[in-house]
Amino acid sequence: MWDYIVATLQRSPELAIFASLGIGYWIGAIKLGSFSLGSVTGTLLVAILIGQLGITVSPNVKSIFFIMFLFAVGYGVGPQFVRGIATDGLPQAIFAVVISVLCLLSVYVACVIAGYDAGFGAGLVAGTQTISAAMGLATDAINGLGLPPDQAKAMLDHMPVAYAVTYIWGTIGTGIILSMLGPKLLGVNMEAECKRYEKEMSAGAPAGGMQSAYRRLDMRAYKIGDRLPPGTTIGDAESRRPNDRLFVQRLRRDGKIIEFTPATVLQQGDIVGIAGKTEALVEVLGKFGNEVSDPELLDVPAEAVDVVMTNKAYDGKTLLELVKSEFARGVYLTKITRGATSVNIPILAQTKLNRGDILRLAGPKANIDAAVKNLGYADRPTNMTDMVWVGIGIVVGGLIGAYVIPVSGVPITLSTSGGALIAGIIIGWARGVHPTFGRIPAPALWFMNSVGLNVFIAVVGLTAGPTFVAGIKEAGFTLFLWGLFATSVPMLLAPYIGKYIFKFDPAINLGCCGGARTSTASVAMVSDVAKSDIPMLGYTVPYAVSNTLLTMWGLVIVLMLA
């Protein structure tokens, strides 16, 4: 039976790839406390193990899935990447560049002192900075050096060795340094700083806070009695308690549902359908009318919609400014997500909206339609990917990226993969501004990101499997120590750089540091320590910039060590 399985896997390597994926995802999801290997490391280790059987996989498989993955990466970070470079996120973008360069230099210093070749260097970049994609561009760069086949293969086999040895500290170490040492390095209490920052960001908010002012719609019917002052218009009634954001949605008079305007005068006996938070409806309206049952009046089409904010006029506006707009009448904001990792942004009075933010709005359909028309584009669920733009983007980007410029005899090129990354950034940004084309639904984007990368990693592991153990013996424990150095030095310096050079607020400084290292887990650990989502406000722009740069470092480190 075993001989049959081995022979089948050797004859049908696609089965070996899927075995690596299935078992790798399973192992990667196992948690030890709050730590897990993740799907990439799990897939790599399983593929290396299966690779001991001598599996041969066409390198074209690896190339196809990797270029798809890089396009998806660029597409996801595009809006924040461009915003960080072009607008008020510039300091955070420059910070990300500085930290990314520190990460590259720390790996380069380690390789020069230890005498590691370009393969080990690329694996160190990928493992210590937990940026698996760097191995793909490094593979293209090594193959383009014109080395003898055996020398090139030796370098390529060194990559997964260095990655596997250094990845665990790259993940755990970054989280430990930022969440445990970070506050001590800054000399602050993160929980107190986030409360202070949240208070400052809530300036001008209603007494109940923005969260209570922007909550899911409730709607009830009230019959106007003699307790309402004569001559009160609908506009007067709505503005009587602005902090409660109560809105008249429908009006019944003399048994008929009629049209109205804010200038319509309410009369005794009118029945009004009023939307607002439950507490206000019960506590406030009970003083002016009696609640009644009127199913027809309350039969108002309502919905909750994700809206991509694309209107340049509202870019950088605070929620407090936005709520005063006419189209905000009757609309309730329940969630803000931002960036490729869909970071939840706190709903505070002074929270600024960015183009490309996704706003979850709830309310009557007519009000929602008006808000969507002013804000941007309703991102309603669909299962179709715009493959026209995906295909054309990858081809055009690949053609540009494949162009080679010789410098001192060294062929400099972005490679087709690097070109696809840049194409993804451009199309992702363009869709954030004009979301009528180039749509990739979230499940499809996840597949391109996660499965695209892991198929590439599986092929790397299967190919390097037979020589992996030899590589471990060659590198020894020293490789782990250099990995510890390359991970820790940038992260120990980053909080100081953010504090003294870029003058970041302590509440978001460590979020910027985690973003600059593309480490979502570390920022989540910082948020746990702070008991707040405030650090996430510093995460998105540095993440978008560093995700691109750290990926490119796979190519750069090969050229530096070549």
Side-chain angles (χ1 to χ4, degrees):
M1 182 65 178
W2 176 249
D3 291 340
Y4 167 75
I5 293 175
V6 173
T8 302
L9 292 177
Q10 291 173 338
R11 187 174 59 252
S12 304
E14 64 273 14
L15 298 182
I17 292 175
F18 281 106
S20 301
L21 291 176
I23 302 173
Y25 271 87
W26 173 61
I27 291 176
I30 297 174
K31 286 187 175 294
L32 298 174
S34 60
F35 172 75
S36 63
L37 285 175
S39 61
V40 175
T41 305
T43 298
L44 176 63
L45 295 178
V46 173
I48 287 170
L49 183 61
I50 296 175
Q52 306 302 314
L53 303 177
I55 309 295
T56 302
V57 185
S58 168
N60 291 334
V61 175
K62 182 172 61 175
S63 300
I64 291 171
F65 279 88
F66 186 68
I67 200 170
M68 178 178 72
F69 159 72
L70 277 188
F71 179 85
V73 168
Y75 181 92
V77 304
Q80 290 301 312
F81 181 89
V82 175
R83 177 179 180 80
I85 293 175
T87 60
D88 57 1
L90 186 58
Q92 293 182 10
I94 296 174
F95 174 77
V97 173
V98 171
I99 302 305
S100 295
V101 171
L102 272 179
C103 293
L104 175 66
L105 292 178
S106 66
V107 171
Y108 179 71
V109 168
C111 290
V112 170
I113 296 176
Y116 293 144
D117 63 20
F120 279 125
L124 275 168
V125 168
T128 60
Q129 314 309 322
T130 59
I131 189 78
S132 314
M135 289 195 288
L137 291 184
T139 299
D140 292 342
I142 291 173
N143 288 330
L145 290 176
L147 300 172
D150 58 338
Q151 188 177 348
K153 186 178 188 308
M155 287 187 180
L156 293 174
D157 289 345
H158 288 162
M159 269 198 301
V161 173
Y163 175 84
V165 170
T166 60
Y167 173 82
I168 293 180
W169 180 253
T171 302
I172 299 177
T174 302
I176 291 174
I177 291 171
L178 291 184
S179 65
M180 296 183 181
L181 297 181
K184 293 181 174 62
L185 295 175
L186 295 175
V188 298
N189 180 308
M190 282 301 297
E191 186 175 354
E193 289 296 333
C194 286
K195 287 181 179 178
R196 185 264 311 160
Y197 190 87
E198 185 169 340
K199 183 177 180 180
E200 292 176 1
M201 290 287 288
S202 299
M210 294 296 283
Q211 186 63 37
S212 62
Y214 285 93
R215 56 179 295 166
R216 187 170 297 279
L217 176 69
D218 192 9
M219 189 169 172
R220 297 189 177 194
Y222 287 86
K223 186 172 184 178
I224 302 298
D226 57 7
R227 288 167 286 181
L228 188 71
T232 300
T233 66
I234 287 178
D236 294 335
E238 292 179 343
S239 62
R240 188 179 295 273
R241 293 179 64 93
N243 288 351
D244 292 311
R245 296 196 77 224
L246 300 175
F247 302 102
V248 176
Q249 299 293 343
R250 303 188 87 181
L251 172 64
R252 183 188 294 279
R253 177 170 294 170
D254 298 328
K256 297 180 180 179
I257 298 176
I258 64 171
E259 297 293 328
F260 63 89
T261 69
T264 300
V265 177
L266 291 170
Q267 299 177 7
Q268 187 173 340
D270 285 349
I271 299 177
V272 291
I274 302 182
K277 60 179 183 176
T278 305
E279 292 90 339
L281 291 172
V282 173
E283 296 173 6
V284 178
L285 290 213
K287 301 176 181 178
F288 301 103
N290 299 319
E291 185 174 5
V292 297
S293 175
D294 194 331
E296 183 187 8
L297 186 74
L298 299 179
D299 188 17
V300 177
E303 60 180 347
V305 175
D306 287 333
V307 180
V308 181
M309 211 281 283
T310 61
N311 191 334
K312 194 173 183 178
Y314 300 108
D315 186 31
K317 296 290 186 182
T318 66
L319 292 182
L320 193 62
E321 292 173 313
L322 198 67
V323 77
K324 297 174 183 177
S325 304
E326 179 61 30
F327 66 80
R329 183 182 183 277
V331 175
Y332 294 78
L333 176 64
T334 61
K335 186 178 181 181
I336 306 172
T337 55
R338 178 176 297 166
T341 54
S342 298
V343 171
N344 287 331
I345 301 299
I347 299 177
L348 304 170
Q350 300 301 323
T351 295
K352 292 183 179 180
L353 295 179
N354 296 343
R355 292 177 82 184
D357 283 352
I358 299 177
L359 315 180
R360 171 58 64 90
L361 302 182
K365 188 176 184 307
N367 299 78
I368 293 291
D369 288 344
V372 170
K373 183 178 179 181
N374 282 273
L375 289 173
Y377 180 79
D379 193 24
R380 291 186 168 88
T382 179
N383 58 3
M384 294 185 64
T385 295
D386 191 345
M387 285 303 300
V388 172
W389 286 95
V390 173
I392 291 175
I394 290 175
V395 170
V396 174
L399 288 172
I400 296 173
Y403 189 76
V404 177
I405 302 175
V407 178
S408 301
V410 178
I412 305 297
T413 174
L414 285 174
S415 78
T416 55
S417 301
L421 174 66
I422 302 303
I425 290 174
I426 294 172
I427 293 177
W429 166 78
R431 173 171 167 77
V433 177
H434 300 288
T436 56
F437 70 96
R439 178 182 175 82
I440 305 179
L445 194 63
W446 175 88
F447 181 87
M448 294 172 70
N449 263 305
S450 184
V451 178
L453 174 61
N454 279 295
V455 169
F456 166 80
I457 291 296
V459 177
V460 168
L462 291 169
T463 304
T467 59
F468 185 82
V469 175
I472 291 286
K473 291 180 179 178
E474 177 186 346
F477 185 67
T478 307
L479 182 61
F480 173 80
L481 295 179
W482 282 117
L484 189 149
F485 166 83
T487 292
S488 303
V489 169
M491 286 299 94
L492 289 171
L493 294 175
Y496 290 124
I497 294 172
K499 178 179 180 179
Y500 293 109
I501 298 179
F502 289 87
K503 310 295 184 183
F504 291 147
D505 191 288
I508 66 169
N509 188 332
L510 298 179
C512 293
C513 296
R517 258 285 280 106
T518 64
S519 176
T520 307
S522 67
V523 184
M525 292 171 69
V526 171
S527 293
D528 285 342
V529 171
K531 297 181 174 59
S532 171
D533 284 336
I534 291 295
M536 288 295 184
L537 289 171
Y539 178 77
T540 54
V541 170
Y543 172 88
V545 174
S546 286
N547 200 319
T548 304
L549 290 180
L550 291 175
T551 300
M552 299 298 294
W553 288 172
L555 181 153
V556 174
I557 195 67
V558 170
L559 298 177
M560 292 173 71
L561 296 173

